[in-house]
Amino acid sequence: MKLRDLAGILPVEGTASADLEVTGISSDSRQVKPGVVFFALAGTKADGATYAADAAQRGAAAIVAGSAIAGLPVPLLAVDDPRLALALSAARYFGKQPETMVAVTGTSGKTSVAAFTRQIWEQAGYAAASIGTTGVVAPGRNDYGSLTTPDPVALHQLLKELADAGVTHASMEASSHGLDQRRLDGVKLAAGGFTNLGRDHMDYHPTVEDYHRAKLRLFDSLLPKGAPAVIFADDPWSAPTIQAAQAAGLDVLTVGRHGDFLKLKRVEHERHRQRAEVEAGGVLYEVDLPLAGDFQISNALVSAGLAISTGTPVAKALMALEKLKGAPGRLDLVGTTTNGAPVYVDYAHKPDALENVLASVRPFTTGRVIVVFGCGGDRDRGKRPIMGEIATRLADVVIVTDDNPRSEVPETIRAAILAAAPDAIEIGDRRQAIHEAVAMLHAGDTLIVAGKGHEEGQTIGTETLHFSDHEEVRAALRERAA
């Protein structure tokens, strides 16, 4: 590729640098090699412009920045929005994407919706992939990941790999950070979904309204006019999301109890499944969803809506719900005690998610609901007492432990939670907390280990140590059975 091939994105028309050979795209100066175009991005901790000289020294073909940088020995291309230019340039450089791409945003449920949509497509006969918090799942690959929405270069390289491997359909999560930082710009989306909105990322967004506005970029900026917007209709933030999508000229398809496209008429909750009646196009379908929790019905309907709106027949999509497998760490039944008490691991690390998961197990719990959870360090401090109150209100036994304390003092984090959960048991060591919780289970009880879900590490200070809630629960169950 020549630099001129990025014309329209970068100001290269008529410049002497237009004939320069481009060998790559990067916003990390450490990855720059000769011929790479380096994008200097303003970040929360450091301005990429400070790394421009390093990128030039490593052989960058050109530097793209939002302001002048003096003394560079390579061409400087000034743009109004370097993040947008990076995303669009990455899309053009890598070129290929799966033919049908959908994205889902919201506070909770994104991972499940992306995974469910992939599974529905698979059952309909498509080569499908999902991209998100738990990594990349596609035919022949299952890569563990860490970012909900990858950076544009990694994302578009991945999309090209998937397309080259024959993947025709891909679903992905759209986080507020990813949307705000233009990571999805350049992805050719066929449809978008919205699950719900609650408190999250208040360390990044100044207000909940600002957080919601970031989510709305999926609908008012990224989806082409007339594209389907599948919106869960039963959330307090559903109405303003519907209004924004309608104002953007999208085809709004609502799902849920108040939905018009897929209307949930009735649901019966059982221990490990739910029986639902869903009306679509005037036809009533009976669906046995093999997953517990009212929130999983919501996620399944958004997923079905995305699949149907991109070409999957209604009956085929709804019947596919009966074979869904939950996303890793999402109300994941790890095992049961010898007296039949189930132990679930769930990723719930924010108020709404914790409330949903605790409420979802209550209908089939004849004994006590026990929860083990903590809060992450260097993140939204305001949610800690909120989550303490939720746990105290909805669980019978609350054990407050460490999550990923990062650079914070773990005792300080726990104290903030305990301020709203004065009767909770404090056990800082997460391994000990899980083992003690399993040991106290009686017949009829349910245990939720919340906060880390699929994660396989615990970050303490600057070090991430191997730690898996799944492994510890299984070990505790073995101990108890011995």
Side-chain angles (χ1 to χ4, degrees):
M1 173 182 276
K2 300 287 188 182
L3 194 57
R4 69 157 60 89
D5 294 321
L6 296 176
I9 302 170
L10 304 180
V12 296
E13 299 94 332
T15 66
S17 57
D19 286 327
L20 289 173
E21 192 71 31
V22 175
T23 61
I25 304 285
S26 182
S27 60
D28 184 343
S29 65
R30 296 167 298 181
Q31 296 179 3
V32 170
K33 297 176 181 177
V36 169
V37 178
F38 175 70
F39 288 74
L41 306 181
T44 55
K45 295 181 179 178
D47 190 334
T50 62
Y51 301 109
D54 179 50
Q57 200 171 41
R58 292 172 183 265
I63 307 294
V64 180
S67 57
I69 304 173
L72 292 177
V74 300
L76 175 70
L77 305 174
V79 296
D80 292 335
D81 189 339
R83 289 187 180 277
L84 176 60
L86 171 65
L88 298 179
S89 297
R92 190 172 294 180
Y93 179 79
F94 288 105
K96 294 177 70 175
Q97 303 178 21
E99 297 164 17
T100 301
M101 293 284 309
V102 303
V104 58
T105 196
T107 299
S108 301
K110 296 186 298 296
T111 300
S112 293
V113 169
F116 293 169
T117 305
R118 168 182 52 79
Q119 292 177 54
I120 296 169
W121 280 332
E122 286 173 344
Q123 292 184 53
Y126 300 113
S130 57
I131 304 164
T133 307
T134 54
V136 181
V137 180
R141 70 187 289 176
N142 190 340
D143 305 339
Y144 180 82
S146 59
L147 281 179
T148 302
T149 308
D151 75 81
V153 177
L155 174 60
H156 285 284
Q157 183 174 2
L158 170 63
L159 294 181
K160 183 181 187 303
E161 291 173 3
L162 293 174
D164 285 342
V167 170
T168 59
H169 290 62
S171 54
M172 64 179 296
E173 299 179 47
S175 68
S176 62
H177 289 70
L179 289 164
D180 185 58
Q181 295 171 9
R182 311 299 192 255
R183 294 184 214 158
L184 279 86
D185 291 71
V187 179
K188 296 175 182 176
L189 295 171
F194 173 82
T195 56
N196 50 59
L197 196 88
R199 183 191 176 99
D200 199 18
H201 302 305
M202 291 297 101
D203 52 329
Y204 182 89
H205 301 284
T207 65
V208 176
E209 289 73 20
D210 181 79
Y211 174 46
H212 184 238
R213 276 193 296 274
K215 299 284 190 187
L216 289 181
R217 281 204 75 243
L218 175 59
F219 304 103
D220 62 28
S221 299
L222 300 187
L223 287 173
K225 283 192 183 301
V230 180
I231 298 174
F232 178 60
D234 303 338
D235 189 75
W237 288 87
S238 298
T241 305
I242 290 167
Q243 291 168 6
Q246 289 173 334
L250 302 179
D251 180 16
V252 175
L253 307 173
T254 56
V255 302
R257 288 179 171 83
H258 295 97
D260 293 325
F261 186 61
L262 297 177
K263 188 176 188 65
L264 181 62
K265 302 288 287 186
R266 186 176 67 86
V267 61
E268 294 178 7
H269 300 280
E270 298 182 15
R271 182 175 284 273
H272 301 308
R273 69 174 186 171
Q274 301 170 79
R275 294 186 174 187
E277 289 183 354
V278 179
E279 184 182 321
V283 179
L284 197 63
Y285 297 84
E286 292 188 359
V287 177
D288 281 352
L289 185 71
L291 301 166
D294 200 52
F295 65 96
Q296 291 287 39
I297 284 277
S298 308
N299 295 336
L301 290 177
V302 174
S303 305
L306 288 169
I308 293 165
S309 69
T310 52
T312 303
V314 175
K316 187 169 286 189
L318 292 177
M319 290 306 99
L321 300 184
E322 298 195 346
K323 297 180 180 179
L324 290 183
K325 294 180 180 178
R330 274 59 179 176
L331 201 57
D332 205 345
L333 178 63
V334 181
T336 59
T337 61
T338 52
N339 57 18
V343 184
Y344 294 91
V345 165
D346 193 89
Y347 190 50
H349 61 283
K350 42 205 166 192
D352 284 13
L354 185 64
E355 185 157 5
N356 284 338
V357 74
L358 291 176
S360 71
V361 299
R362 179 61 73 180
F364 57 75
T365 301
T366 56
R368 302 169 300 168
V369 173
I370 302 172
V371 63
V372 174
F373 83 103
C375 289
D378 303 332
R379 298 293 187 269
D380 178 11
R381 289 171 167 79
K383 71 180 181 182
R384 295 168 187 174
I386 297 173
M387 292 180 69
E389 185 279 326
I390 289 169
T392 298
R393 172 163 45 87
L394 297 178
D396 301 292
V397 179
V398 179
I399 299 176
V400 175
T401 189
D402 293 341
D403 191 283
N404 293 313
R406 301 185 179 89
S407 70
E408 286 194 64
V409 177
E411 292 82 359
T412 302
I413 301 173
R414 297 197 301 270
I417 301 170
L418 290 163
D423 296 326
I425 301 166
E426 181 180 7
I427 304 174
D429 184 288
R430 192 174 183 92
R431 180 174 287 106
Q432 181 187 347
I434 291 171
H435 284 244
E436 292 198 20
V438 170
M440 66 173 64
L441 285 170
H442 300 148
D445 292 347
T446 298
L447 171 60
I448 301 288
V449 180
K452 293 178 61 58
H454 64 283
E455 294 178 357
E456 296 182 353
Q458 184 177 31
T459 305
I460 301 171
T462 57
E463 189 176 6
T464 299
L465 307 170
H466 177 77
F467 191 95
S468 164
D469 283 353
H470 288 77
E471 291 175 9
E472 293 306 325
V473 167
R474 283 193 285 266
L477 289 170
R478 285 194 300 269
E479 284 177 9
R480 173 156 177 172

